[in-house]
Amino acid sequence: MHTEKEEVLSNIGSYEKRCDGFDWGVSKEILSWKDGELLNIGAICSDRVCARGWGDKPALVWEGFGDKKRTYTFDDLKLHSNGFAKLLVDIGIEPGDRVCVFMDRIPSLYFSFLGILKMGGVAQPLFCAFGDESLEVRLASAGTRAILTTQKHVKKVRKIKDRLPALEHVIVVEGDRSKLKDGEGFFHVESADRVEEFDVFPADPETPSVLHYTSGTTGQPKGAQHVHDSIWGQALTTSWVLDLRDDDVYWCTADPGWVTGTSYGIIGPWSLGVTQCVLDSGFTSARWYQFIQDHRVTVWYSAPTAIRSLMRDGEELAGKYDLKSLRHLASVGEPLNAEAVVWSERAYGLPFHDTFWQTETGSIMIANYPGMEIRPGSMGRPFPGIEAGLLDLKTHEELTEPGKVGLIAFRPGWPSMFRAYRGEPEKYRGRFVGARADATPDELRTDTGLWYVSGDRSSIDQDGYYWFVGRDDDVINTGGHLVGPFEIESALVEHEAIAEAAAIGKPDEVNMEVVKVFVTLNAGYEPSGDLELAIMNFIRKRLSPLAMPQEIEYVEKLPKTRSGKILRRYLRALEWGEDVGDLSTLEDD
Ligand code: 6R9
């Protein structure tokens, strides 16, 4: 069905040749970027594309709830990001200040994200599904100075603003200006004065750019700090893994609150001047297919949970739409099961290509490449220039034997790698094996004798393909989103009925995992259906719908280690029907 298209060589061409003598400089060549030129991701994704003569080309093809549709060119992207950049300068935001973007996937999210970068600010995108507590923890950690939001979501900001002394500016970018409270600003970029030219902040490669919060096993979420140098990793992987070309119409289904939605839903594709589609409305298979058909989407980057939902609705539904425009499909976020790859070949005539990476890595690290054999169920091979390996689970020695299970690790030094966990140098250092106790962050990111350890388990086959086994920690992956058990447990014990709590992931057909919690109740409280609903809603509102437990189990007491840590892994093993084994091996204190 797609034979003519397959004859076109992929951007990557020969994987082996690309690996041979690899240099990240090739990314600069792809963007025709010369040393000494202005470095700024915001400008590279807008002004620079216009300067190549593509000002009239569609940059953003957008659809919202109902029948809302808009198309913006790269000229519009330049103009509207300038508008936001100027606004921020006018209100006194300085380079390096954190500016949070807290909105649905409306066009202003994309304009403001680039605008923040253009003026040298640090863009901190957060899911607007977050409740006030999730929001507060992340704004407090970042010392965020301004938040850009909409009338729909500003209520959550109001609840917490008094506890956030650094948060000086709350600006509403969409909605009804008359509903604002004292001290809140309103800015609608499309009705504001046009800002044709803006003096873009000249970033250094190490200038902070984007701050993404990600959940770990212990403690509150950590802020992974990225820098402008990341562009080289993002642009090149977009070209070689997602195979984007000048005439592509690309759809990344991820929200920019998640790193996939910024690295590959903003930065990579727009740096290459590619047209992107955004659908800001809930998921239904029919709506997604209609969207692909209407916009003639050619390259589609999505996640296994969505793919499994599409599978559930069947090939017949897919067959009712004209999806022949599609030429390349890729997936990230969770294990992509072999059935999904085989199914997509049947349903769309094209397989999904699995890719593996993390918030911390900033760009794709392991992938199945276009035009090359896919081993269904495997994540593929390391990106050229990325030195990857597996480390023994206990000793952290490198494993060389095919088939052995170890921790996925990467030698530091790739451009998109995170440069810090904001305010937590010890945690940052803790991600590197072999690091001296006094190593500086700069040493850590450049010392190719170290390993950055991903926290995921995998094996490698004799041909160098990686096969995902599971996470090495207690983080819950629900529908591709990482949820920290500690965050859920901390929120649960704030509920008046709950004494102690443990959160784990339980198996789910579509989302891979959903949150299940075990709780002990305070004296005077009895388990009941009403209490269960109240607890679920409590978490949904405070944290997010994703963190909301799908099941609550009341227990007399929780299993603990000798030092009193809750044994989540024991609960998890029981839940998954895995061998609990010798309890002492589960204890990690
Ligand atoms: C981009 C992103 C990272 C974690 C990662 C792993 C899981 C990502 C995967 C995958 C199996 C894949 N993960 N891709 N697991 N197969 N292809 O997802 O970033 O939100 O930080 O999550 O997601 O556990 O460590 P992030």
Side-chain angles (χ1 to χ4, degrees):
M1 164 179 187
H2 287 269
T3 41
E4 305 148 69
K5 285 173 188 158
E6 274 160 18
E7 281 162 21
V8 180
L9 267 187
S10 61
N11 289 345
I12 189 167
S14 153
Y15 173 76
E16 284 75 19
K17 277 196 195 140
R18 295 295 195 183
C19 289
D20 203 19
F22 175 88
D23 183 334
W24 287 103
V26 61
S27 185
K28 296 184 181 171
E29 279 167 33
I30 284 180
L31 294 185
S32 329
W33 193 89
K34 305 270 176 313
D35 280 332
E37 253 190 81
L38 175 73
L39 174 67
N40 184 300
I41 293 177
I44 290 177
C45 292
S46 54
D47 306 12
R48 208 169 177 281
V49 180
C50 298
R52 278 154 71 182
W54 289 350
D56 290 340
K57 182 177 175 180
L60 174 63
V61 177
W62 178 87
E63 276 192 30
F65 278 100
D67 226 4
K68 283 194 234 147
K69 287 184 188 163
R70 298 295 304 265
T71 296
Y72 300 89
T73 62
F74 279 98
D75 272 337
D76 297 330
L77 206 57
K78 171 178 175 180
L79 190 72
H80 297 327
S81 56
N82 281 352
F84 274 104
K86 179 167 184 304
L87 163 83
L88 295 170
V89 171
D90 287 350
I91 63 172
I93 299 297
E94 308 261 353
D97 284 345
R98 277 76 55 213
V99 180
C100 173
V101 186
F102 188 59
M103 46 186 106
D104 292 285
R105 274 175 260 179
I106 56 174
S108 277
L109 187 164
Y110 299 86
F111 304 148
S112 62
F113 181 90
L114 296 182
I116 296 165
L117 298 177
K118 276 184 162 178
M119 57 73 57
V122 177
Q124 182 193 11
L126 291 177
F127 287 116
C128 60
F130 278 151
D132 48 298
E133 190 161 320
S134 288
L135 183 61
E136 182 179 348
V137 164
R138 290 160 176 82
L139 296 180
S141 159
T144 310
R145 262 194 91 192
I147 183 165
L148 307 174
T149 187
T150 58
Q151 194 194 316
K152 185 171 152 199
H153 298 292
V154 72
K155 290 177 224 90
K156 296 184 261 192
V157 184
R158 285 177 190 149
K159 271 197 191 166
I160 57 177
K161 176 145 192 324
D162 288 349
R163 296 196 290 275
L164 297 165
L167 187 63
E168 286 168 51
H169 304 278
V170 178
I171 295 168
V172 173
V173 305
E174 188 184 88
D176 182 351
R177 148 182 267 159
S178 69
K179 300 231 165 80
L180 298 192
K181 300 259 191 251
D182 271 357
E184 292 169 358
F186 187 82
F187 180 76
H188 184 247
V189 72
E190 291 180 67
S191 358
D193 290 342
R194 291 169 72 87
V195 185
E196 302 285 352
E197 295 303 326
F198 177 81
D199 207 1
V200 172
F201 179 80
D204 181 82
E206 294 305 307
T207 301
S209 55
V210 182
L211 179 65
H212 270 293
Y213 275 79
T214 180
S215 299
T217 307
T218 54
Q220 291 292 357
K222 302 168 293 246
Q225 182 65 67
H226 291 279
V227 295
H228 283 265
D229 199 40
S230 71
I231 184 84
W232 312 121
Q234 291 152 334
L236 191 63
T237 48
T238 301
S239 174
W240 287 2
V241 183
L242 302 178
D243 206 40
L244 293 189
R245 323 243 173 100
D246 295 353
D247 57 352
D248 270 316
V249 177
Y250 165 71
W251 183 26
C252 168
T253 60
D255 187 298
W258 181 30
V259 68
T260 306
T262 58
S263 286
Y264 299 104
I266 299 182
I267 302 172
W270 277 341
S271 70
L272 298 170
V274 170
T275 302
Q276 298 204 61
C277 297
V278 169
L279 176 59
D280 182 31
S281 86
F283 173 87
T284 69
S285 300
R287 182 84 209 257
W288 276 32
Y289 290 147
Q290 188 72 49
F291 188 71
I292 294 172
Q293 174 177 305
D294 289 351
H295 300 292
R296 316 286 310 144
V297 171
T298 57
V299 179
W300 183 20
Y301 196 23
S302 198
T305 291
I307 300 165
R308 286 192 291 269
S309 303
L310 295 164
M311 281 169 78
R312 213 170 43 174
D313 287 338
E315 277 167 73
E316 304 70 35
L317 184 68
K320 290 197 178 129
Y321 295 83
D322 177 2
L323 308 176
K324 282 194 285 296
S325 56
L326 291 171
R327 75 167 177 85
H328 187 61
L329 320 180
S331 161
V332 65
E334 323 146 50
L336 180 67
N337 31 323
E339 301 89 279
V341 178
V342 174
W343 182 84
S344 82
E345 236 168 341
R346 265 207 325 268
Y348 314 127
L350 296 167
F352 269 96
H353 291 69
D354 195 11
T355 67
F356 169 90
W357 58 291
Q358 303 178 301
T359 303
E360 287 86 345
T361 70
S363 61
I364 294 167
M365 303 302 275
I366 298 175
N368 289 281
Y369 301 91
M372 290 163 55
E373 180 209 355
I374 292 183
R375 302 205 171 160
S378 154
M379 304 191 293
R381 286 185 279 174
F383 189 74
I386 297 292
E387 192 185 334
L390 289 187
L391 306 186
D392 183 89
L393 298 174
K394 287 218 160 60
T395 64
H396 288 168
E397 292 292 319
E398 189 177 357
L399 301 173
T400 47
E401 216 178 299
K404 282 228 153 151
V405 173
L407 296 169
I408 305 174
F410 306 103
R411 296 286 190 197
W414 69 97
S416 311
M417 167 182 181
F418 73 137
R419 301 302 206 261
Y421 281 132
R422 191 184 154 78
E424 301 190 273
E426 287 308 319
K427 281 204 172 145
Y428 186 67
R429 189 172 310 127
R431 297 303 300 263
F432 298 87
V433 161
R436 287 195 332 272
D438 61 348
T440 63
D442 267 352
E443 287 166 348
L444 295 169
R445 76 175 172 82
T446 51
D447 185 346
T448 51
L450 305 179
W451 287 108
Y452 161 78
V453 184
S454 71
D456 287 298
R457 296 177 181 190
S458 171
S459 66
I460 312 180
D461 66 21
Q462 61 279 20
D463 301 317
Y465 282 77
Y466 282 67
W467 297 80
F468 186 79
V469 171
R471 287 191 61 98
D472 192 51
D473 60 17
D474 295 341
V475 172
I476 302 160
N477 187 334
T478 176
H481 294 282
L482 303 187
V483 183
F486 178 81
E487 244 184 312
I488 302 173
E489 291 158 4
S490 312
L492 281 170
V493 295
E494 282 172 37
H495 190 278
E496 56 188 11
I498 296 174
E500 283 191 305
I504 60 159
K506 78 167 203 168
D508 183 80
E509 254 182 46
V510 170
N511 291 292
M512 188 171 93
E513 293 184 346
V514 290
V515 175
K516 169 169 182 180
V517 300
F518 297 82
V519 297
T520 62
L521 295 180
N522 283 321
Y525 289 91
E526 290 298 327
S528 73
D530 280 354
L531 180 59
E532 198 162 304
L533 274 182
I535 295 172
M536 287 177 175
N537 272 323
F538 183 78
I539 298 299
R540 185 176 57 79
K541 283 189 80 174
R542 288 204 169 204
L543 299 182
S544 73
L546 284 174
M548 183 179 87
Q550 303 289 321
E551 187 181 335
I552 299 175
E553 188 168 329
Y554 300 100
V555 290
E556 286 298 315
K557 71 187 210 335
L558 291 170
K560 296 204 181 136
T561 62
R562 269 173 255 107
S563 64
K565 278 196 225 154
I566 294 168
L567 269 171
R568 292 195 199 104
R569 268 184 280 171
Y570 172 69
L571 293 168
R572 193 188 145 90
L574 286 181
E575 194 64 39
W576 289 69
E578 288 164 4
D579 184 15
V580 180
D582 173 9
L583 252 193
S584 64
T585 61
L586 288 163
E587 298 184 5
D588 57 358
D589 57 337

